[in-house]
Amino acid sequence: MAKSISIEVWNPSGKYRVVSTKPMPGTRWIRLLTDQDCRVEICTEKKTILSVEDILALIGDKCDGVIGQLTEDWGEVLFSALRRAGGTAFSNMAVGYNNVNVNAANKYGIAVGNTPGVLTETTAELAASLSLAAARRIVEADQFMRAGLYDGWLPHLFVGNLLKGQTLGVIGAGRIGSAYARMMIEGFKMNLIYYDLYQATRLEKFVTAYGQFLKANDEQPVTWKRAATMEDVLREGDVISLHPVLDKTTYHLINKERLSIMKKEAVLVNASRGPVIDETALVEHLRKNPMFRVGLDVFEDEPFMKPGLAEQKNAVVVPHIASASKWTREGMTTIAALNVLGKIKGYPVWTDPNRIEIFLDENFQPPPASPSIVNAKELGKKDSSGFVPEASAGANIKRKSPRFTFFNAVKGAFLV
């Protein structure tokens, strides 16, 4: 290598060389690769974010695949280098891939993997945690106690917002947005208003059924409403959580004008992507409205915060930890490793990446497939079905368990 990079090596005599740009949680992902004759090299540099030059040194002259991180700039330079080294696979250890130039990957024939299907509940839980922490001023109160300032109970000390019976606003009611809404509605009996381009039918049915349950038990039923515009959510919501994708249409979705139409004591939560909020406008809004509160897991210019944000006591800020539960992070590493392994071995692609439980069960060998390749169609890869084909041997068997369905799916897809 042109540049010296510290690494940890597993299975030195392996036929295929797979590089991980960071040490990752768990060991199953390493075992899955080494069991299939892969030499695994893990970068152990003490840098939080590797430069393009660092990753070029890791790739070297011979590399079959790389597992990378969302903080890295994967574009023309790295994909061309990976291809020259004989590589065909890259996987982000993340569900998002805003750091990846997929067109460049397509140009060099590199499969790009991501890790969906394991982050939904974990991310929703973190958004719910931020909602509660901001509404009840938990971080402020914690700092107050640690500073030794508490000298007795006072009627007005850290008075926050009650959630029960208030209006929950959700912008983006996909998997994570809907999971978050269910937690908040069932946990705090909040009413729902949501905005999404597509109707969230399952979420609506859940709220309706829960409302009927409460009514049957002589409690105030919860309600739901699908908003015609995002502005309706911002005006009506007491707690508003953002769950959109990040693209040109959602950049600075929350700006000075939209902040101005929100309630003065509203709580705004973002565990999606930082640039969805105009952070400079948010800092100014927090300064002018001390009872307005925000909970942020992501930031516009990560890893940095805009000037003034850290000083705002009405802001709860955490360092992009929405997926940071042990089960989820280890699941992400497993999916990322199998994405790379599948391409190296010439396996087909699993066509339902949101149903990948079979890959995560440590009691079973995962099926020979790449769980999630975002550019599979562009690369013309053969797909495998996530369900039992009608003509397969298992087609006439009742599907009593997800595991049974998946195993029959594999049988139908691979053993014909």
mmCIF file of all heavy atoms in Angstrom, residues 120-142:
data_model
loop_
_atom_site.group_PDB
_atom_site.id
_atom_site.type_symbol
_atom_site.label_atom_id
_atom_site.label_comp_id
_atom_site.label_asym_id
_atom_site.label_seq_id
_atom_site.Cartn_x
_atom_site.Cartn_y
_atom_site.Cartn_z
ATOM 1 N N THR A 120 -36.022 0.035 11.785
ATOM 2 C CA THR A 120 -37.320 0.688 11.953
ATOM 3 C C THR A 120 -37.669 0.966 13.409
ATOM 4 O O THR A 120 -37.870 2.117 13.813
ATOM 5 C CB THR A 120 -38.430 -0.165 11.304
ATOM 6 O OG1 THR A 120 -38.140 -0.299 9.905
ATOM 7 C CG2 THR A 120 -39.785 0.507 11.465
ATOM 8 N N GLU A 121 -37.764 -0.079 14.215
ATOM 9 C CA GLU A 121 -38.194 0.095 15.599
ATOM 10 C C GLU A 121 -37.163 0.872 16.411
ATOM 11 O O GLU A 121 -37.516 1.707 17.251
ATOM 12 C CB GLU A 121 -38.466 -1.266 16.247
ATOM 13 C CG GLU A 121 -39.545 -2.080 15.558
ATOM 14 C CD GLU A 121 -40.909 -1.392 15.587
ATOM 15 O OE1 GLU A 121 -41.200 -0.711 16.600
ATOM 16 O OE2 GLU A 121 -41.666 -1.529 14.622
ATOM 17 N N THR A 122 -35.888 0.597 16.169
ATOM 18 C CA THR A 122 -34.835 1.278 16.920
ATOM 19 C C THR A 122 -34.851 2.778 16.667
ATOM 20 O O THR A 122 -34.741 3.582 17.602
ATOM 21 C CB THR A 122 -33.461 0.694 16.534
ATOM 22 O OG1 THR A 122 -33.413 -0.669 16.936
ATOM 23 C CG2 THR A 122 -32.341 1.447 17.211
ATOM 24 N N THR A 123 -34.990 3.168 15.411
ATOM 25 C CA THR A 123 -35.027 4.594 15.075
ATOM 26 C C THR A 123 -36.284 5.249 15.638
ATOM 27 O O THR A 123 -36.236 6.371 16.158
ATOM 28 C CB THR A 123 -34.963 4.784 13.551
ATOM 29 O OG1 THR A 123 -33.789 4.145 13.043
ATOM 30 C CG2 THR A 123 -34.936 6.256 13.177
ATOM 31 N N ALA A 124 -37.407 4.540 15.536
ATOM 32 C CA ALA A 124 -38.654 5.074 16.086
ATOM 33 C C ALA A 124 -38.549 5.260 17.595
ATOM 34 O O ALA A 124 -39.038 6.259 18.155
ATOM 35 C CB ALA A 124 -39.815 4.138 15.742
ATOM 36 N N GLU A 125 -37.901 4.326 18.283
ATOM 37 C CA GLU A 125 -37.724 4.444 19.732
ATOM 38 C C GLU A 125 -36.898 5.673 20.088
ATOM 39 O O GLU A 125 -37.183 6.376 21.059
ATOM 40 C CB GLU A 125 -37.049 3.192 20.287
ATOM 41 C CG GLU A 125 -37.961 1.973 20.366
ATOM 42 C CD GLU A 125 -37.250 0.749 20.916
ATOM 43 O OE1 GLU A 125 -36.058 0.870 21.288
ATOM 44 O OE2 GLU A 125 -37.867 -0.317 20.991
ATOM 45 N N LEU A 126 -35.853 5.940 19.295
ATOM 46 C CA LEU A 126 -35.020 7.106 19.582
ATOM 47 C C LEU A 126 -35.805 8.388 19.357
ATOM 48 O O LEU A 126 -35.718 9.338 20.152
ATOM 49 C CB LEU A 126 -33.766 7.070 18.708
ATOM 50 C CG LEU A 126 -32.594 8.013 19.032
ATOM 51 C CD1 LEU A 126 -32.793 9.413 18.488
ATOM 52 C CD2 LEU A 126 -32.282 8.051 20.524
ATOM 53 N N ALA A 127 -36.617 8.434 18.292
ATOM 54 C CA ALA A 127 -37.455 9.612 18.054
ATOM 55 C C ALA A 127 -38.443 9.815 19.201
ATOM 56 O O ALA A 127 -38.687 10.947 19.631
ATOM 57 C CB ALA A 127 -38.196 9.461 16.723
ATOM 58 N N ALA A 128 -38.996 8.719 19.705
ATOM 59 C CA ALA A 128 -39.908 8.812 20.852
ATOM 60 C C ALA A 128 -39.165 9.304 22.095
ATOM 61 O O ALA A 128 -39.688 10.106 22.876
ATOM 62 C CB ALA A 128 -40.562 7.457 21.113
ATOM 63 N N SER A 129 -37.931 8.835 22.279
ATOM 64 C CA SER A 129 -37.123 9.271 23.422
ATOM 65 C C SER A 129 -36.841 10.766 23.351
ATOM 66 O O SER A 129 -36.921 11.476 24.363
ATOM 67 C CB SER A 129 -35.804 8.498 23.456
ATOM 68 O OG SER A 129 -36.021 7.108 23.567
ATOM 69 N N LEU A 130 -36.491 11.251 22.169
ATOM 70 C CA LEU A 130 -36.238 12.680 21.988
ATOM 71 C C LEU A 130 -37.497 13.499 22.245
ATOM 72 O O LEU A 130 -37.443 14.597 22.821
ATOM 73 C CB LEU A 130 -35.714 12.953 20.580
ATOM 74 C CG LEU A 130 -34.289 12.482 20.275
ATOM 75 C CD1 LEU A 130 -33.979 12.662 18.798
ATOM 76 C CD2 LEU A 130 -33.268 13.231 21.120
ATOM 77 N N SER A 131 -38.636 12.959 21.820
ATOM 78 C CA SER A 131 -39.906 13.655 22.027
ATOM 79 C C SER A 131 -40.175 13.858 23.512
ATOM 80 O O SER A 131 -40.535 14.954 23.967
ATOM 81 C CB SER A 131 -41.058 12.861 21.404
ATOM 82 O OG SER A 131 -40.855 12.655 20.019
ATOM 83 N N LEU A 132 -40.001 12.785 24.276
ATOM 84 C CA LEU A 132 -40.260 12.843 25.711
ATOM 85 C C LEU A 132 -39.221 13.708 26.426
ATOM 86 O O LEU A 132 -39.555 14.514 27.305
ATOM 87 C CB LEU A 132 -40.269 11.428 26.288
ATOM 88 C CG LEU A 132 -40.735 11.288 27.740
ATOM 89 C CD1 LEU A 132 -42.151 11.813 27.904
ATOM 90 C CD2 LEU A 132 -40.654 9.834 28.177
ATOM 91 N N ALA A 133 -37.955 13.545 26.044
ATOM 92 C CA ALA A 133 -36.887 14.315 26.685
ATOM 93 C C ALA A 133 -37.071 15.811 26.477
ATOM 94 O O ALA A 133 -36.868 16.609 27.405
ATOM 95 C CB ALA A 133 -35.529 13.875 26.147
ATOM 96 N N ALA A 134 -37.477 16.190 25.254
ATOM 97 C CA ALA A 134 -37.678 17.612 24.967
ATOM 98 C C ALA A 134 -38.935 18.137 25.657
ATOM 99 O O ALA A 134 -38.918 19.214 26.267
ATOM 100 C CB ALA A 134 -37.757 17.826 23.454
ATOM 101 N N ALA A 135 -40.018 17.378 25.569
ATOM 102 C CA ALA A 135 -41.288 17.841 26.141
ATOM 103 C C ALA A 135 -41.202 18.009 27.654
ATOM 104 O O ALA A 135 -41.762 18.950 28.214
ATOM 105 C CB ALA A 135 -42.413 16.874 25.779
ATOM 106 N N ARG A 136 -40.499 17.116 28.325
ATOM 107 C CA ARG A 136 -40.429 17.153 29.791
ATOM 108 C C ARG A 136 -39.115 17.751 30.314
ATOM 109 O O ARG A 136 -38.827 17.669 31.495
ATOM 110 C CB ARG A 136 -40.655 15.744 30.347
ATOM 111 C CG ARG A 136 -42.049 15.176 30.065
ATOM 112 C CD ARG A 136 -43.166 16.072 30.597
ATOM 113 N NE ARG A 136 -43.052 16.251 32.034
ATOM 114 C CZ ARG A 136 -43.626 15.446 32.931
ATOM 115 N NH1 ARG A 136 -44.362 14.425 32.529
ATOM 116 N NH2 ARG A 136 -43.482 15.672 34.216
ATOM 117 N N ARG A 137 -38.313 18.300 29.417
ATOM 118 C CA ARG A 137 -37.104 19.045 29.782
ATOM 119 C C ARG A 137 -36.135 18.197 30.610
ATOM 120 O O ARG A 137 -35.504 18.661 31.562
ATOM 121 C CB ARG A 137 -37.494 20.320 30.524
ATOM 122 C CG ARG A 137 -38.450 21.189 29.741
ATOM 123 C CD ARG A 137 -38.935 22.400 30.498
ATOM 124 N NE ARG A 137 -37.843 23.343 30.763
ATOM 125 C CZ ARG A 137 -38.006 24.490 31.439
ATOM 126 N NH1 ARG A 137 -39.211 24.816 31.901
ATOM 127 N NH2 ARG A 137 -36.981 25.293 31.637
ATOM 128 N N ILE A 138 -35.991 16.952 30.228
ATOM 129 C CA ILE A 138 -35.209 15.995 31.010
ATOM 130 C C ILE A 138 -33.722 16.352 31.021
ATOM 131 O O ILE A 138 -33.060 16.271 32.058
ATOM 132 C CB ILE A 138 -35.445 14.568 30.485
ATOM 133 C CG1 ILE A 138 -36.876 14.132 30.819
ATOM 134 C CG2 ILE A 138 -34.433 13.591 31.066
ATOM 135 C CD1 ILE A 138 -37.286 12.811 30.209
ATOM 136 N N VAL A 139 -33.183 16.765 29.880
ATOM 137 C CA VAL A 139 -31.751 17.074 29.817
ATOM 138 C C VAL A 139 -31.436 18.318 30.642
ATOM 139 O O VAL A 139 -30.435 18.347 31.383
ATOM 140 C CB VAL A 139 -31.304 17.252 28.359
ATOM 141 C CG1 VAL A 139 -29.838 17.696 28.296
ATOM 142 C CG2 VAL A 139 -31.475 15.945 27.588
ATOM 143 N N GLU A 140 -32.268 19.325 30.532
ATOM 144 C CA GLU A 140 -32.090 20.530 31.356
ATOM 145 C C GLU A 140 -32.084 20.168 32.840
ATOM 146 O O GLU A 140 -31.246 20.644 33.619
ATOM 147 C CB GLU A 140 -33.214 21.517 31.103
ATOM 148 C CG GLU A 140 -33.194 22.231 29.780
ATOM 149 C CD GLU A 140 -34.378 23.175 29.680
ATOM 150 O OE1 GLU A 140 -34.299 24.279 30.264
ATOM 151 O OE2 GLU A 140 -35.385 22.804 29.042
ATOM 152 N N ALA A 141 -33.042 19.357 33.264
ATOM 153 C CA ALA A 141 -33.159 18.980 34.666
ATOM 154 C C ALA A 141 -31.963 18.150 35.121
ATOM 155 O O ALA A 141 -31.465 18.310 36.248
ATOM 156 C CB ALA A 141 -34.460 18.207 34.884
ATOM 157 N N ASP A 142 -31.472 17.280 34.253
ATOM 158 C CA ASP A 142 -30.304 16.461 34.574
ATOM 159 C C ASP A 142 -29.078 17.347 34.802
ATOM 160 O O ASP A 142 -28.331 17.163 35.779
ATOM 161 C CB ASP A 142 -30.050 15.468 33.433
ATOM 162 C CG ASP A 142 -28.812 14.633 33.643
ATOM 163 O OD1 ASP A 142 -28.911 13.603 34.322
ATOM 164 O OD2 ASP A 142 -27.738 15.026 33.132
#
